[in-house]
Amino acid sequence: MAKAIELKPIDGSFSLKEHIYEVLKRSIMELDVYDPEAQLRMDERTLADQLGISRTPIREAIMRLEQEGFVEIQPRRGVFIRRKSLAEALEMVELWAALESSAARLGCARATDAEIAALSRQATRFTAGGARAELSEYSEANIAFHRSVLALSGNALLVDTADGLLAHLKAVRRRAMADPERAERSVTDHSDIVAAIEARQPDEAARIVHDHTMRLHAYLRRSWRYLTGENVAETA
């Protein structure tokens, strides 16, 4: 049975234009778009019926999502959720590596001891002996950790730009993090990142963060067909 985005009726008290956009974007991000059974076509009438609203705010949200690269409007065929190609994913990871390494560098100078302590608690949640059984939860915790590193920069534009990249990469990152070896290595890297930031060593923190993210880059290049079922020669 095809897997489609899941929506609930909207309370009419919301400001529809912005809220519908957020609902559709969040639903797209939660869908495993690389699942062969994923329903990528978005029908305006069906969406409007599910949400209990007219088609106008749906259409406005879809146009905005197209501009941001989440969907593609194909003439005479309809609206489809976009899967990122390998080339697109690699470029996003490269930019994300540059942004987060800069954030780590800035965080060494700007973050408070309390903020760094909070980051440390996020990292150590999965390092205790019994925590390995919780690695099934690690994908979301991993993204939360990286967002916390970004926040240490104190630079709102940097955070917003990186968050946009993370939104586009969420589906493929979730699949990559299902690899136990990658998850284990990620846990170790996070501890090293925290140690460098705690020591206020900007060059070391930036290097570790950059290397950590670029390991994802190498993994995607090596494992794209396994992760997505797509032919690398067609997407690279």
Side-chain angles (χ1 to χ4, degrees):
M1 184 176 180
K3 300 176 181 179
I5 59 176
E6 298 181 1
L7 303 173
K8 296 180 181 180
I10 296 298
D11 185 329
S13 64
F14 285 108
S15 172
L16 281 180
K17 186 174 182 179
E18 186 66 24
H19 186 69
I20 295 302
Y21 160 77
E22 293 292 346
V23 166
L24 293 183
K25 180 178 177 180
R26 184 166 58 251
S27 298
I28 290 169
M29 288 170 57
E30 292 306 316
L31 181 68
D32 182 358
V33 297
Y34 298 102
D35 186 328
E37 297 183 1
Q39 173 58 260
L40 302 182
R41 189 173 186 276
M42 299 175 66
D43 180 73
E44 287 183 15
R45 185 184 299 278
T46 301
L47 295 175
D49 289 344
Q50 286 180 312
L51 294 171
I53 59 174
S54 72
R55 294 170 64 179
T56 300
I58 296 287
R59 189 173 298 113
E60 292 175 345
I62 285 174
M63 291 177 64
R64 183 172 171 186
L65 290 166
E66 182 193 31
Q67 292 173 350
E68 295 179 355
F70 286 99
V71 304
E72 179 181 5
I73 301 175
Q74 299 181 12
R76 296 181 296 281
R77 291 195 62 208
V79 180
F80 294 84
I81 299 170
R82 285 194 66 231
R83 289 173 169 147
K84 298 297 178 291
S85 69
L86 172 60
E88 289 173 316
L90 292 178
E91 287 188 351
M92 289 181 179
V93 172
E94 289 167 358
L95 179 54
W96 173 29
L99 290 170
E100 192 174 356
S101 60
S102 295
R105 184 184 298 278
L106 290 169
C108 287
R110 297 179 178 179
T112 66
D113 290 342
E115 289 170 333
I116 296 174
L119 183 72
S120 179
R121 287 192 294 274
Q122 285 182 273
T124 56
R125 175 185 169 192
F126 291 88
T127 58
R132 299 304 187 189
E134 300 178 28
L135 285 176
S136 60
E137 307 169 17
Y138 188 61
S139 180
E140 293 302 319
N142 177 53
I143 291 176
F145 175 85
H146 286 288
R147 283 185 167 143
S148 294
V149 173
L150 293 164
L152 295 184
S153 70
N155 186 311
L157 180 58
L158 186 155
V159 172
D160 287 345
T161 304
D163 264 350
L165 295 172
L166 288 172
H168 281 286
L169 290 168
K170 188 169 184 178
V172 72
R173 282 181 53 79
R174 189 188 293 120
R175 285 190 160 231
M177 198 51 66
D179 182 331
E181 290 185 7
R182 287 208 71 253
E184 292 279 353
R185 178 56 189 267
S186 180
V187 169
T188 300
D189 285 354
H190 287 189
S191 294
D192 293 341
I193 291 167
V194 171
I197 295 176
E198 285 178 328
R200 307 285 181 171
Q201 296 177 329
D203 291 342
E204 183 69 358
R207 181 191 66 78
I208 296 171
V209 167
H210 186 272
D211 290 351
H212 172 68
T213 302
M214 291 306 290
R215 272 191 280 277
L216 173 62
H217 187 280
Y219 182 81
L220 293 183
R221 182 178 289 281
R222 183 173 67 250
S223 307
W224 188 258
R225 187 169 186 176
Y226 165 75
L227 290 173
T228 68
E230 294 181 2
N231 191 318
V232 172
E234 294 176 359
T235 55

